[in-house]
Amino acid sequence: MLLTDLGAHLRPFFARRLFDGGADAEDLVQETLIAIHAKRTTWDRHQPFTGWAYAIARHKLIDHLRRRGRRPTHPLEEAAELFADHTVEDGATSADLSRCLALLPARQRRLIEDVRLKGLTVAEAAANHGYTLTAAKVSIHRSLKSLNARYAPNAGMAETAGTPTDED
């Protein structure tokens, strides 16, 4: 009964002090009532209960305002112009990728760039570079396999495992 009566007094207390009115007020009422219930043994019976309860409510309000900050919030979709299109890491990645692809013959490199980087279909890239669809698929597969063998750690070890050597 005490918590029900106290909740009726806390709702307007929080609603008057919050920027958005009642949206967060009910959450704060519940947090405060839980805190009062949990800390009820700390109340000094020789002191007024109301002052003690409102002190807890005030601290809950301060904690809420600190968490939330006093800044206006806007949906993230409206802030697209604040984000850079590219980062420093993009430049480094692009340079590394260019060095890797430079190992391939020009026709194969352009085919890989069109399909894997620009997002063209294999059929579109094949038509652009004078390949048949099957030849383009084979070329892409062999190119990627070649790059994987060169740069993937232990890639060559898996292929040679199980093959007889001169020592066997």
Side-chain angles (χ1 to χ4, degrees):
M1 192 164 122
L2 171 68
L3 295 177
T4 303
D5 289 344
L6 193 55
H9 291 284
L10 289 173
R11 281 180 191 83
F13 172 81
F14 289 126
R16 283 191 308 270
R17 288 164 176 79
L18 291 173
F19 301 114
D20 60 356
D24 293 329
E26 188 60 34
D27 290 341
L28 282 170
V29 168
Q30 297 304 317
E31 284 181 38
T32 303
L33 292 176
I34 290 170
I36 288 171
H37 180 69
K39 300 295 181 182
R40 67 186 181 275
T41 58
T42 64
W43 173 53
D44 182 3
R45 294 184 187 274
H46 302 295
Q47 299 294 324
F49 176 78
T50 307
W52 176 80
Y54 275 102
I56 292 174
R58 200 170 41 256
H59 289 290
K60 289 294 178 183
L61 177 64
I62 290 168
D63 290 345
H64 171 76
L65 293 174
R66 284 183 181 153
R67 275 192 312 263
R68 206 168 144 242
R70 294 183 183 232
R71 298 175 214 83
T73 58
H74 300 285
L76 192 56
E77 295 81 27
E78 295 176 8
E81 66 272 1
L82 298 177
F83 299 107
D85 289 338
H86 302 285
T87 64
V88 174
E89 291 84 11
D90 291 341
T93 302
S94 178
D96 290 344
L97 186 58
S98 295
R99 275 195 301 272
C100 291
L101 291 177
L103 298 173
L104 298 173
R107 278 185 83 196
Q108 290 176 332
R109 181 177 58 246
R110 286 192 300 268
L111 194 60
I112 293 284
E113 289 170 345
D114 283 354
V115 173
R116 296 297 177 141
L117 302 178
K118 294 179 183 173
L120 296 179
T121 65
V122 177
E124 292 170 333
N128 288 346
H129 299 289
Y131 282 93
T132 65
L133 180 60
T134 303
K137 287 179 180 180
V138 169
S139 178
I140 290 170
H141 174 75
R142 288 180 179 166
S143 299
L144 293 175
K145 186 175 179 181
S146 169
L147 290 173
N148 190 41
R150 167 96 184 205
Y151 291 106
N154 301 325
M157 300 301 289
E159 291 178 11
T160 58
T163 53
T165 62
D166 292 336
E167 298 172 1
D168 290 339

